[in-house]
Amino acid sequence: MIELEALTKRFGAKTAVDNLSFQVKPGVVTGFLGPNGAGKSTTMRMMLDLDNPTSGTVRIDGKHYRDLSEPLKHIGALLDAKAMHGGRSAYNNLLCLAQSNRIPASRVGEVLDLVGLTAVAKKKSKGFSLGMGQRLGIAAALLGDPEILMFDEPVNGLDPEGILWIRNLMKGLAGEGRTVFVSSHLMSEMALTADHLIVIGQGKLLADMSMAEFIHQNSRSFVRLRSPQQEQLKDLLHAEGIAAAALPDSGALEVDGVASEQLGELAARHGIVLHELSPQRASLEEAFMRMTADSVEYQAHAPGAPAAGVGGQAGPADAPAWGAGAEATSKGGR
Amino acid sequence: MTGPATLPDQPPEQDPPLPETRPHLGHALASEWTKMVSVRSTLWTLGALVLLVVGIGLLAVGETNDPTGFTNPPHTAAAVFGLLVGQVAVIVLGVLTVTSEYATGLIRTTLTAAPDRARVLTAKYLVFAAVAFTVVSASVAVVGIASMIAVDSPQAHQTAGEWLAALTGCLYITLLGVLGLAIGAVVRHSAGAIAVMLGLVTLPPVVGGMLTMWDSLTPLGNLIIRYNAPVAIMQMFGLPTSEVGGLPGNWAQLALIVAVAGAAVAGSYAVVGRRDV
Amino acid sequence: MIEAVGLTKRFGAKTAVDQLSFQVRPGHVTGFLGPNGSGKSTTMRMILGLDQPTSGQVTINGRPFRELGNAQRNVGALLDAKAVHGGRRARTHLLSIAQLSGIPEKRVDEVLAVVGLQDVARRRTKGFSLGMGQRLGIATALLGDPRVLLFDEPVNGLDPEGILWVRNLMRQLASEGRTVFVSSHLMSEMALTADHLIVIGRGRLLADMGTQEFIAHNSAGFARVRAAGNDQDGRKALAAALTAAGGRVLQEPDGALRVTGLELPHISDLAHGVGVRLWELSPHRASLEEAYMRMTQSSVEYTSTEDPRAELWEPDPLALPAWEDGAAAPEVPQDGFFAPPPPGAGGKPFLMPGSAAELAGTAGTAPNNPEDTR
Amino acid sequence: MSFPAVLRSEWTKIRTVASTVWTLAAAAVVTVGMSALLCVFLNSQFENMPKEQQLAFDPTASSFAGMSLGQAAVIVFGVLVVGTEYSTGMIRTSLAAVPRRGSFLAGKLLVATALALAVGLVTSFVSFFTGQALLGEHSIGIGEPNVLRAVFGAGLYMAVIALFAMGLTMVLRSSMLALGILLPFVFLLSPILGSVDATQKVAYFFPNVAGSRIMQTVPAVLDGSEPPYGPWGGFGIMAAWAALAVVAGYAVLRKRDA
């Protein structure tokens, strides 16, 4: 359990973190989202007492970080994959951390095995790729078998196999009842991993809710229909007063605000054959974009491309065929 | 969401027309000049050099007001104390000119933009040498002129030949920096290259002194004592080190550093041209 | 156009790139995939003349990189976002690179605006975040307005807004007829961005085909079918009919059926045949991630079978199930169908059979979750 | 937080990087080797030296003469022990593991200084006995007045100069910057200032100049430039510099964001 209370950090005139209060609860993977410059890293560093808060407090299991006698046994963190001495072997890098918190040396071998670095344990970490460095950082976080784990952009540099592995690892850790707090910019990864979300923008809390709730609140859902009797279906929907939008290329219909169950029953009553009846939910990416639209810092000018393509399904008009799904979902934003 | 497309659609080929021709050395020189003036390490190293040469130089000018203190050295001799320390700054700047690119990975961007590696390297040598020589000789000139103004004594003097010798000394120091750049380009590591250069500059007098202990090695020791950087610099600024008579001429000293730096430069072209970055 | 012919690079005894031949064509975004250590970076470096091939050659528009007249006008590359001198300001960094090829200063301000760094142009890059560094790297690549662009992990460190921007930028560049070659480990991004894929493993070419084709070849989609109500009998009858028709049926925790090997219209007809009303009949495309995993499973370097993490992803369908032989996937009828599933559903196939607990765990995040009923 | 655990951890840190071995070995080898060479030289040239130099001859200090060069390696050792924490980013991992800045700093400095002291003492004794053996008839015994103090002092000198380097690096948080200041300071600035009469008095209070007084057994009266302190006074000045650097380093570590 991590508790933040009115945490604030100012760098000169700039307020990086502004009166932030939230709790990270055990048993679920909590995602920590926000645009660049939102104050995510600063917050995480203050959680570990690396940066001094201007005001406010962070408590780890009810204590201040500095009062934890052996902090690695309470909280393990991956902040920066490369935060190890390159001239030291992977094993020794972990050993000196273990010793400072009286963790038995045998645990070092265990975590190295867990992250798949046993074969390179004796190699200097200087020669590690970003992905291997990331695994080493994860091993360091797991060293004290802590109840709380914090990961900052854990999939950075990992290859797809590694991404899959860390995703399942985090879920497994949460499944054991641990507190897992993970920040990432990769919405598709977050959607697969996190159960709960904390979203900040410009240092302020924007949302603290479950993933499903977040997507529900910040995007629209609809049902896609496809039928060999499309004209009849259209007439039927019209007669029922249900608005349906036809998709230009695919011959599918999109219906807003009516549950798929109702539509299924309706079609069955009128003997219309459906070849598709799929409830669609917009992606986390789209939901996130809508929520944080105002707090983005380094806005780029898209060279010409219309601001489209949010969400998993759509592409700009010139996109290849595979992207020409449901544009209608994606003209989000402004 | 991306913002409104405030820029017109790419490509901006219409305006301004980007050059299609093969870039030449002049472009690389402009680029290296920008690189050199846009980092603070240049300011620090050259600032330290100026401060040391002018600061210690003026201090020495003040102290030598009594003309009997020295057996009539030229005015520019006052700069030599600062230069003996300041040469390190020149060497460090020379090394950093190239190793900072390797340390940050910028070298890959540079060589991707300009695959002709010799062109880039040549530009580095030219820009560094011009900057270093200008700053070193300007600092020396300041000390020399200050001394001419301050030291009012019939024995104080500065002939054209002595000005030329001082200028040769400045060139000598610049070439030490060029040597540092060449070594930096070969070893690609700032600390390593600086260590090698410091060794080259500081060890010969010590090693030479030791070699003279054994009779059979005394000639070699004496040779090393006569041909090394600190001795050469002192000599060119008119402060011959009296211990080992029979000093070589300034031109011999210069020829030696030109040969050594030239070999290192040639080596750097060969290595950088072929090596995987 | 980038063309590699028999490209090989050995480091001592280790062959990093082995007889690689491929073409990257203009007008497309070509994705470059492979596990860590498969030789992707080495290949990119050889394309850019930074590493010398041991044998073979790679040309850009017909000429080796180092013989191009004006390199920046032909090729722009982003290799490493942090490859800038931290003590230099963003604008002077770009300027120094631009001057190498005589590119006018005005262009520097243009590209800074394109990547959205105009406000920090005069800040030293030491204080830049990885995302800002990435934007600066992209600006460097765009300086010469080149016809060929190479990006190595361009979205690393970018925030969602930046990721979206890069995605659109690359498509835009390709639609202008440029050659865009992108390497990335993020399958969900690649599925959204690349229309052609080159996959390598252990230095060898594994695949060179369209993204759509790649997914079709290496994975299977499925359909999710939910009978009206929670009518047990109807579901059983439907499952029986589907199995009889040659489909493979798995039950999901919320009572829906996961059907592979049958087309949607066929499922619809079968349901009609047994008199079951449907509340959901939705196509699910397998993700690029899954397709990629299948293809590269033998060429991953840092994985070990005795490794406990293997257990963590054992349940995924890497071991080809029997029904795969029928290759139902390519026959999927709808064209809109190729749109990769929204990220919420993207990895779902992974959690397929085996572990019901995991399925329950993710059901809440899937787009078609039971909450829709309520 | 148990302090022995921190010490153990710091000991592992220090013994598992190659630079520790290299720098300390270089310090020992350079000191012993250079001193030995100098002693051989002095022994053979003694008769040719001017009378006043013969009178002022300090056989003890001569057998440590190599330390003037060997201390460079000790300084590099001290700088790297602290500096690599910052350059690699390890400092964040370390402070997350040992959040109390005082424990962290004390553990690191204690281990590194103790190691430098051990190496320094071994070096000074080996250097002394080697040097005396080579000095032949001009040698001095360890039982003579002040000699044992000088030999111990040489070891202490190495430990304290390392401590000074560590403290300074803690303040600057960069190896490059620390080396850039320390090496020119010790090897260029202090000898140059020391050789000019006007500035010599300033140079007397530099840590390396003041500290090296403890290695001498013969006062340098003859050239008329006796520093205004005794051997222990000089050592005290050096220790005060080191203490100042460490306190400043601690203040920086406490106050600044890691």
Side-chain angles (χ1 to χ4, degrees):
Chain A
M1 172 87 124
I2 311 173
E3 293 161 277
L4 272 68
E5 222 177 278
L7 199 65
T8 302
K9 176 78 180 177
R10 280 190 208 95
F11 295 108
K14 189 180 156 99
T15 304
V17 176
D18 192 0
N19 204 13
L20 203 57
S21 302
F22 62 80
Q23 295 183 344
V24 188
K25 295 181 190 72
V28 290
V29 178
T30 303
F32 190 34
L33 311 183
N36 273 341
K40 290 202 307 296
S41 298
T42 310
T43 305
M44 291 183 109
R45 290 153 58 88
M46 286 193 288
M47 285 176 169
L48 293 174
D49 198 27
L50 293 173
D51 284 9
N52 302 311
T54 309
S55 65
T57 52
V58 180
R59 273 194 292 276
I60 309 290
D61 286 337
K63 284 184 179 165
H64 289 287
Y65 194 90
R66 254 177 233 211
D67 298 333
L68 296 172
S69 67
E70 274 148 5
L72 295 188
K73 291 179 181 169
H74 292 87
I75 177 165
L78 165 80
L79 282 193
D80 174 3
K82 286 275 166 189
M84 296 279 178
H85 191 301
R88 208 174 274 142
S89 69
Y91 179 88
N92 283 330
N93 261 318
L94 294 182
L95 180 64
C96 59
L97 287 178
Q99 286 175 334
S100 68
N101 279 250
R102 290 195 293 185
I103 297 162
S106 59
R107 176 71 186 159
V108 174
E110 275 172 43
V111 291
L112 280 170
D113 204 34
L114 186 66
V115 301
L117 288 181
T118 310
V120 292
K122 301 284 174 205
K123 293 230 173 89
K124 288 186 178 178
S125 61
K126 191 163 20 189
F128 282 15
S129 66
L130 182 54
M132 289 159 81
Q134 202 74 263
R135 285 170 190 266
L136 181 58
I138 292 165
L142 296 173
L143 203 55
D145 196 23
E147 280 301 305
I148 305 175
L149 286 132
M150 235 163 88
F151 300 102
D152 192 7
E153 293 287 352
V155 307
N156 234 346
L158 290 179
D159 63 357
E161 189 267 347
I163 293 176
L164 183 59
W165 165 74
I166 181 89
R167 189 191 302 154
N168 288 324
L169 174 74
M170 289 192 286
K171 285 184 182 172
L173 291 167
E176 292 165 13
R178 298 178 208 255
T179 307
V180 181
F181 189 57
V182 50
S183 95
S184 178
H185 281 325
L186 302 169
M187 291 300 125
S188 45
E189 267 313 302
M190 274 298 192
L192 291 172
T193 317
D195 313 300
H196 194 91
L197 291 179
I198 287 170
V199 186
I200 65 172
Q202 294 183 333
K204 292 197 181 72
L205 189 68
L206 297 182
D208 178 359
M209 56 181 79
S210 76
M211 174 76 72
E213 210 180 330
F214 181 81
I215 296 179
H216 185 72
Q217 283 193 6
N218 290 287
S219 61
R220 77 185 183 104
S221 55
F222 60 91
V223 179
R224 190 157 65 211
L225 294 171
R226 224 180 270 271
S227 167
Q229 300 148 282
Q230 186 163 6
E231 289 310 312
Q232 279 164 269
L233 180 61
K234 266 189 192 163
D235 293 343
L236 172 63
L237 292 172
H238 188 71
E240 294 286 323
I242 298 170
L247 296 182
D249 309 327
S250 55
L253 294 176
E254 278 187 10
V255 175
D256 245 334
V258 183
S260 70
E261 289 80 0
Q262 267 175 280
L263 292 169
E265 292 293 342
L266 191 67
R269 265 204 309 279
H270 294 81
I272 291 175
V273 178
L274 291 180
H275 282 176
E276 181 177 344
L277 168 61
S278 50
Q280 305 281 324
R281 186 42 83 69
S283 66
L284 175 62
E285 183 178 54
E286 185 184 354
F288 175 81
M289 293 293 177
R290 280 173 192 247
M291 164 154 279
T292 60
D294 300 328
S295 47
V296 169
E297 240 183 59
Y298 302 104
Q299 192 92 318
H301 302 287
V310 183
Q313 298 149 329
D318 57 348
W322 55 263
E327 271 100 331
T329 52
S330 57
K331 301 291 190 212
R334 297 147 293 155
Chain B
M1 290 300 307
T2 39
T6 53
L7 270 193
D9 280 10
Q10 295 267 59
E13 271 140 324
Q14 312 89 311
D15 137 86
L18 299 178
E20 294 287 350
T21 52
R22 198 179 185 93
H24 49 73
L25 182 62
H27 294 130
L29 287 174
S31 165
E32 289 302 328
W33 171 252
T34 306
K35 281 182 190 168
M36 177 155 283
V37 298
S38 57
V39 290
R40 278 180 292 193
S41 57
T42 309
L43 188 70
W44 289 128
T45 48
L46 293 180
L49 171 74
V50 173
L51 219 64
L52 284 166
V53 174
V54 176
I56 299 181
L58 294 184
L59 208 70
V61 167
E63 287 296 311
T64 53
N65 220 341
D66 171 18
T68 55
F70 282 97
T71 48
N72 62 5
H75 289 295
T76 43
V80 87
F81 308 105
L83 278 176
L84 286 177
V85 188
Q87 61 177 339
V88 177
V90 177
I91 287 166
V92 168
L93 180 64
V95 168
L96 287 183
T97 301
V98 61
T99 55
S100 72
E101 292 219 18
Y102 281 103
T104 54
L106 177 62
I107 189 74
R108 286 194 289 277
T109 312
T110 303
L111 294 185
T112 304
D116 183 357
R117 298 178 186 182
R119 181 166 71 97
V120 175
L121 203 54
T122 307
K124 279 192 187 300
Y125 281 121
L126 292 179
V127 170
F128 165 74
V131 169
F133 184 71
T134 310
V135 175
V136 172
S137 32
S139 320
V140 169
V142 168
V143 175
I145 292 165
S147 171
M148 287 169 88
I149 294 166
V151 182
D152 183 23
S153 143
Q155 284 181 8
H157 58 98
Q158 185 88 9
T159 64
E162 280 158 349
W163 278 116
L164 183 65
L167 214 57
T168 320
C170 297
L171 188 59
Y172 190 96
I173 289 171
T174 305
L175 287 171
L176 281 178
V178 168
L179 181 61
L181 204 164
I183 289 176
V186 173
V187 305
R188 297 188 278 187
H189 192 271
S190 310
I194 291 174
V196 169
M197 281 307 295
L198 285 182
L200 277 178
V201 169
T202 55
L203 286 184
V206 182
V207 173
M210 287 183 173
L211 289 180
T212 54
M213 278 182 254
W214 291 278
D215 285 342
S216 53
L217 292 175
T218 306
L220 180 63
N222 281 335
L223 197 68
I224 294 176
I225 286 178
R226 278 176 288 152
Y227 285 97
N228 63 63
V231 168
I233 292 167
M234 300 213 6
Q235 175 195 332
M236 287 174 183
F237 281 90
L239 285 179
T241 40
S242 50
E243 305 141 28
V244 217
L247 277 173
N250 289 351
W251 298 112
Q253 293 279 18
L254 193 66
L256 179 68
I257 189 72
V258 165
V260 171
V265 168
S268 73
Y269 278 103
V271 172
V272 172
R274 270 187 307 112
R275 189 168 52 192
D276 290 348
V277 183
Chain C
M1 166 87 119
I2 304 172
E3 193 169 6
V5 182
L7 200 60
T8 303
K9 177 76 180 179
R10 280 190 209 94
F11 295 108
K14 186 177 159 105
T15 304
V17 176
D18 192 3
Q19 288 290 328
L20 203 55
S21 300
F22 60 83
Q23 290 185 345
V24 186
R25 288 175 199 82
H28 298 273
V29 177
T30 303
F32 191 30
L33 312 183
N36 276 340
S38 60
K40 288 203 308 295
S41 302
T42 310
T43 304
M44 286 199 137
R45 292 153 56 85
M46 286 193 286
I47 294 174
L48 294 169
L50 294 172
D51 283 10
Q52 300 281 7
T54 309
S55 67
Q57 64 160 355
V58 56
T59 54
I60 291 170
N61 297 332
R63 300 165 75 182
F65 181 81
R66 288 177 74 169
E67 288 165 27
L68 292 170
N70 187 330
Q72 288 196 80
R73 294 288 288 117
N74 287 281
V75 186
L78 163 76
L79 285 187
D80 176 3
K82 283 279 160 194
V84 289
H85 191 300
R88 202 168 276 138
R89 297 167 207 279
R91 192 176 176 283
T92 34
H93 166 74
L94 284 175
L95 180 62
S96 72
I97 302 293
Q99 285 172 330
L100 275 175
S101 305
I103 293 168
E105 206 167 333
K106 185 158 175 269
R107 177 70 185 158
V108 170
D109 297 313
E110 257 173 49
V111 292
L112 277 169
V114 167
V115 301
L117 288 181
Q118 64 276 53
D119 296 337
V120 292
R122 286 170 201 281
R123 285 234 309 257
R124 298 196 191 271
T125 58
K126 204 180 318 203
F128 278 22
S129 65
L130 182 56
M132 290 156 80
Q134 205 72 255
R135 285 171 189 266
L136 184 60
I138 293 170
T140 316
L142 296 176
L143 264 179
D145 191 28
R147 304 301 299 164
V148 177
L149 287 127
L150 281 85
F151 298 102
D152 193 4
E153 292 287 351
V155 304
N156 229 348
L158 289 174
D159 64 356
E161 190 269 344
I163 293 175
L164 179 60
W165 168 72
V166 168
R167 193 189 300 156
N168 286 330
L169 173 76
M170 288 192 288
R171 286 188 194 159
Q172 173 75 25
L173 291 167
S175 72
E176 289 162 11
R178 300 176 207 255
T179 306
V180 182
F181 193 45
V182 191
S183 96
S184 178
H185 280 328
L186 303 169
M187 291 301 122
S188 45
E189 267 314 298
M190 276 306 201
L192 292 171
T193 316
D195 35 3
H196 195 91
L197 294 177
I198 290 173
V199 186
I200 67 172
R202 295 197 189 281
R204 290 208 182 86
L205 190 68
L206 295 181
D208 180 358
M209 56 177 85
T211 307
Q212 170 186 333
E213 203 187 339
F214 180 81
I215 297 177
H217 262 101
N218 291 288
S219 64
F222 65 90
R224 228 179 90 94
V225 184
R226 199 148 48 93
N230 271 331
D231 151 26
Q232 290 288 333
D233 299 336
R235 190 163 72 211
K236 279 199 186 111
L238 180 60
L242 292 169
T243 313
R248 182 182 150 106
V249 182
L250 289 166
Q251 186 156 330
E252 295 201 358
D254 66 339
L257 299 175
R258 178 181 284 230
V259 185
T260 38
L262 292 174
E263 292 170 32
L264 265 67
H266 195 179
I267 296 174
S268 174
D269 291 345
L270 289 168
H272 188 69
V274 292
V276 174
R277 286 165 295 128
L278 297 182
W279 277 2
E280 181 181 341
L281 172 61
S282 46
H284 285 255
R285 188 63 176 159
S287 65
L288 176 60
E289 188 181 47
E290 185 191 356
Y292 168 86
M293 290 296 173
R294 280 168 194 253
M295 163 149 281
T296 59
Q297 56 181 320
S298 59
S299 49
V300 172
E301 225 174 328
Y302 292 102
T303 190
S304 53
T305 39
E306 71 274 19
D307 173 344
R309 74 208 151 103
E311 153 237 316
L312 289 166
W313 52 298
E314 205 70 331
D316 75 48
L318 289 189
L320 291 180
W323 45 264
E324 230 285 326
D325 299 342
E331 305 150 19
V332 178
Q334 300 86 350
D335 29 349
F337 194 52
F338 290 116
K348 217 170 165 206
F350 270 98
L351 309 167
M352 210 154 40
S355 152
E358 290 212 47
L359 271 178
T362 45
T365 65
N368 35 15
N369 60 49
E371 282 162 40
D372 285 358
T373 4
R374 289 170 228 138
Chain D
M1 178 68 49
S2 91
F3 193 63
V6 178
L7 288 180
R8 254 167 72 88
S9 156
E10 289 298 334
W11 170 240
T12 304
K13 271 189 197 169
I14 222 165
R15 78 182 162 78
T16 52
V17 288
S19 65
T20 306
V21 178
W22 287 119
T23 50
L24 291 179
V29 169
V30 169
T31 305
V32 175
M34 297 271 294
S35 309
L37 281 171
L38 191 82
C39 290
V40 170
F41 176 70
L42 285 170
N43 193 32
S44 65
Q45 300 290 315
F46 195 81
E47 304 310 327
N48 305 336
M49 289 199 308
K51 262 281 171 286
E52 56 268 33
Q53 278 192 29
Q54 288 190 9
L55 279 175
F57 179 66
D58 184 344
T60 316
S62 303
S63 62
F64 304 133
M67 199 168 275
S68 59
L69 207 64
Q71 65 179 330
V74 181
I75 289 172
V76 173
F77 163 76
V79 167
L80 288 185
V81 164
V82 174
T84 51
E85 288 265 350
Y86 286 98
S87 63
T88 58
M90 182 81 185
I91 186 76
R92 288 190 291 280
T93 315
S94 298
L95 288 179
V98 185
R100 280 191 211 146
R101 306 313 197 239
S103 301
F104 171 72
L105 186 69
K108 183 170 277 302
L109 298 188
L110 202 61
V111 168
T113 312
L115 184 61
L117 180 65
V119 173
L121 285 175
V122 169
T123 306
S124 68
F125 275 95
V126 172
S127 195
F128 176 78
F129 288 117
T130 316
Q132 298 316 315
L134 294 170
L135 276 175
E137 56 188 271
H138 309 291
S139 65
I140 195 167
I142 194 136
E144 301 289 325
N146 294 336
V147 171
L148 194 59
R149 179 259 295 157
V151 179
F152 268 109
L156 283 172
Y157 178 88
M158 274 180 121
V160 177
I161 197 93
L163 186 64
F164 177 60
M166 286 185 271
L168 190 74
T169 314
M170 216 73 180
V171 175
L172 299 169
R173 316 208 301 172
S174 151
S175 310
M176 205 62 176
L177 212 54
L179 285 179
I181 288 178
L182 275 172
L183 291 182
F185 182 83
V186 171
F187 289 100
L188 296 168
L189 202 60
S190 64
I192 285 174
L193 291 185
S195 65
V196 178
D197 282 348
T199 50
Q200 193 178 32
K201 291 176 196 69
V202 181
Y204 278 151
F205 292 94
F206 282 10
N208 55 322
V209 178
S212 58
R213 184 73 182 83
I214 199 170
M215 291 183 250
Q216 297 159 6
T217 52
V218 178
V221 274
L222 285 170
D223 50 11
S225 57
E226 177 71 6
Y229 46 71
W232 289 107
F235 185 75
I237 291 171
M238 184 193 198
W241 275 85
L244 186 71
V246 169
V247 168
Y250 177 66
V252 168
L253 183 68
R254 240 194 115 82
K255 209 156 155 39
R256 294 197 53 178
D257 295 336

